[in-house]
Amino acid sequence: MTTPVQQDRANREELLALIALSAARLTRDWGRLITAQDQLLRTLERIRPGIGSTTRVRTAVAEFNRQVAQFERDARAFVERWASTDLPTAYRDGALQALRRVNRDITLFRWTVDHQAAITPLTATFYVDLMRRIQEAVRRAQAFARTAQDAAREVTLGRNHEGIDSPRLAADHPLSTVIYADQSRHPVESWARSALSWQGVVAANSGAINTARWELDAQWMQCVDGTECGFVSHQDTDHADGTIRSIDDADMYPAAHHGCIRSWIPRPDLNNRPGLVSGDPT
């Protein structure tokens, strides 16, 4: 017979597998941009002044733009599936895991109006976050195409006899990276893994917390986390692992940071314990 601990481990592994598979898919889609950029640069490097050179430049740029459009379609399709199917699945699995952890019947979970109202804004926010990155990548790719075409035009007109500066163009327009708000650049693969991990964990933990509140009438949750992780952020000195938190606090911080491994155990058995304060150890 499968024990609750074994089931917890299996559920966590399923979530991590979903995240890993999805991150690989998104990274693969992004690879189309990287390959197309390299192909355009290699083509433009061979352009020299002469009859038909302008047409060859336009044809090469048009092919690059076609690849960018295909990337946008593929990435949009991925994000739509992630938001409409995968995140609700993670939410549901988090809810079922919460019920199993307290040996309650998993049929207690239903897609009630409350749960639907909880998952809808969550997935909408995450959808917007991912789509903003996709649109930013498209804009950056289009800017690269314009700059590369201008550089090639200088060659076709005989104004530049050395050819385009491919290393400089690639460095100024690094399509293999994502730019964060602080202007730091991160490889697409690491960004995708981090972003999808955050979204998947938050969705699963929200399912667990909401189920504890609505199906179990729990007022308290037990936090399971890394031994050094703080409650509000990783650096927070208020360590989270093993502590009892009010369900409102749990709802406010379902996870603390990107890469967080936090999960929650409902503790309806503590509802009537006198003097219990959020943050107390178990």
Side-chain angles (χ1 to χ4, degrees):
M1 178 180 294
T2 301
T3 67
V5 172
Q6 290 172 327
Q7 187 65 55
D8 280 356
R9 185 178 298 114
N11 289 341
R12 177 60 59 166
E13 288 175 354
E14 287 180 7
L15 176 60
L16 294 178
L18 171 64
I19 291 168
L21 183 64
S22 299
R25 159 80 185 278
L26 185 55
T27 302
R28 185 171 62 250
D29 289 343
W30 219 287
R32 182 183 292 273
L33 287 183
I34 302 167
T35 299
Q37 182 181 46
D38 184 67
Q39 290 175 342
L40 178 58
L41 290 173
R42 300 292 81 79
T43 299
L44 296 183
E45 285 172 350
R46 298 191 293 269
I47 298 294
R48 292 295 180 267
I51 297 174
S53 59
T54 299
T55 299
R56 290 196 296 274
V57 170
R58 289 175 178 170
T59 300
V61 172
E63 173 59 20
F64 175 81
N65 288 331
R66 188 184 72 80
Q67 295 295 328
V68 173
Q70 186 62 53
F71 157 74
E72 184 173 19
R73 286 192 292 271
D74 291 345
R76 279 182 175 273
F78 165 81
V79 173
E80 287 169 1
R81 174 180 172 80
W82 173 257
S84 65
T85 301
D86 295 334
L87 286 178
T89 297
Y91 180 98
R92 180 205 63 197
D93 289 350
L96 299 183
Q97 181 176 342
L99 292 171
R100 291 190 184 101
R101 279 179 149 173
V102 290
N103 297 314
R104 299 294 293 273
D105 189 345
I106 61 174
T107 61
L108 284 174
F109 175 77
R110 292 287 187 273
W111 279 112
T112 61
V113 172
D114 285 336
H115 285 297
Q116 291 175 18
I119 191 61
T120 297
L122 194 65
T123 56
T125 297
F126 290 158
Y127 173 87
V128 170
D129 288 345
L130 294 177
M131 283 307 306
R132 184 170 60 248
R133 291 297 187 187
I134 303 301
Q135 292 162 356
E136 176 189 272
V138 170
R139 288 193 297 269
R140 291 171 63 199
Q142 292 169 339
F144 159 74
R146 290 191 297 269
T147 303
Q149 185 171 23
D150 289 344
R153 184 179 296 115
E154 293 297 300
V155 175
T156 63
L157 295 175
R159 297 171 182 166
N160 178 358
H161 301 289
E162 297 180 356
I164 66 169
D165 187 348
S166 291
R168 176 64 179 274
L169 286 168
D172 288 346
H173 303 272
L175 302 185
S176 62
T177 63
V178 171
I179 302 176
Y180 284 17
D182 62 1
Q183 299 306 304
S184 61
R185 294 175 175 177
H186 299 263
V188 168
E189 182 179 7
S190 64
W191 163 76
R193 186 169 57 249
S194 176
L196 298 184
S197 175
W198 167 260
Q199 294 188 3
V201 168
V202 169
N205 287 349
S206 295
I209 294 164
N210 290 337
T211 296
R213 186 194 298 272
W214 295 324
E215 275 71 45
L216 301 177
D217 295 322
Q219 299 172 13
W220 301 97
M221 302 290 288
Q222 181 178 340
C223 189
V224 180
D225 209 335
T227 55
E228 299 301 319
C229 188
F231 184 64
V232 173
S233 67
H234 189 71
Q235 293 77 22
D236 187 2
T237 57
D238 178 12
H239 290 170
D241 186 45
T243 59
I244 298 299
R245 304 285 172 166
S246 72
I247 199 158
D248 289 336
D249 283 351
D251 186 48
M252 186 173 297
Y253 296 102
H257 57 88
H258 286 71
C260 192
I261 61 172
R262 179 172 298 174
S263 61
W264 293 94
I265 302 173
R267 295 299 304 270
D269 56 305
L270 299 178
N271 281 0
N272 297 318
R273 178 176 292 186
L276 188 61
V277 177
S278 186
D280 282 353
T282 52

